[in-house]
Amino acid sequence: MSNIVLFLVIAIPRSIYIWITDQVAGDTPLYLRVSDNILKGCGFSASVGPVDCEPIVGGYFPAYPYLLATLQFVGFTEKGIALFFGSCFALSVLYLRKALELTTQNSKISCGIALVVGLSPLTFGWSRFLLIEPVITIFSVLCSLS
């Protein structure tokens, strides 16, 4: 199976799922509020009012809201951000496949494992949310063979 076909097999169902579902769950409103404050010049804060810029201290890793703010700054919508993360996940699975193929010298096994990881229901459900978990999943796949 070619990399393009593998990418499409993983990315198309994930993209359809993201497109037809909502992106908000759990901490999403907080992350979006923080990224909105970053874009408004208020920094890493969860303030609701335009004047009160009280920074959040402890408990949250600031990189994810800054990533959201960057993607929003270049024009991504909530769905667009989720689709971007879904595409990044599919690309990370392509890396996994290549790394496994180099390690095992067996393209069928590496393709099979890539399909299992790429279509796993364990990651599929989280892919639609604007939470840090989909991003952590991408890095987990990328770091799995390091």
Side-chain angles (χ1 to χ4, degrees):
M1 179 181 301
S2 75
N3 281 336
I4 293 172
V5 172
L6 180 62
F7 177 83
L8 293 174
V9 166
I10 294 168
I12 288 175
R14 192 171 290 264
S15 296
I16 291 169
Y17 182 62
I18 291 167
W19 191 258
I20 63 174
T21 58
D22 190 26
Q23 278 62 59
V24 178
D27 288 336
T28 303
L30 173 67
Y31 292 139
L32 292 174
R33 187 169 56 248
V34 172
S35 69
D36 189 47
N37 285 341
I38 291 167
L39 291 172
K40 290 179 181 176
C42 200
F44 191 73
S45 71
S47 304
V48 178
V51 178
D52 301 328
C53 290
E54 294 184 28
I56 299 174
V57 178
Y60 294 97
F61 185 62
Y64 182 66
Y66 277 101
L67 175 61
L68 288 179
T70 302
L71 293 172
Q72 288 174 323
F73 180 75
V74 296
F76 281 82
T77 62
E78 291 177 16
K79 284 227 187 273
I81 293 169
L83 290 167
F84 173 75
F85 291 151
S87 296
C88 288
F89 177 79
L91 289 172
S92 73
V93 172
L94 292 181
Y95 169 79
L96 174 68
R97 176 198 181 180
K98 184 64 176 175
L100 284 170
E101 194 170 321
L102 290 172
T103 304
T104 65
Q105 300 294 313
N106 189 324
S107 65
K108 288 183 181 181
I109 290 174
S110 64
C111 186
I113 291 171
L115 282 170
V116 168
V117 170
L119 297 174
S120 169
L122 298 174
T123 63
F124 206 80
W126 286 101
S127 67
R128 71 180 191 252
F129 295 130
L130 290 184
L131 298 172
I132 198 166
E133 283 83 351
V135 177
I136 291 171
T137 303
I138 294 166
F139 285 111
S140 297
V141 172
L142 288 174
C143 294
S144 62
L145 292 173
S146 296

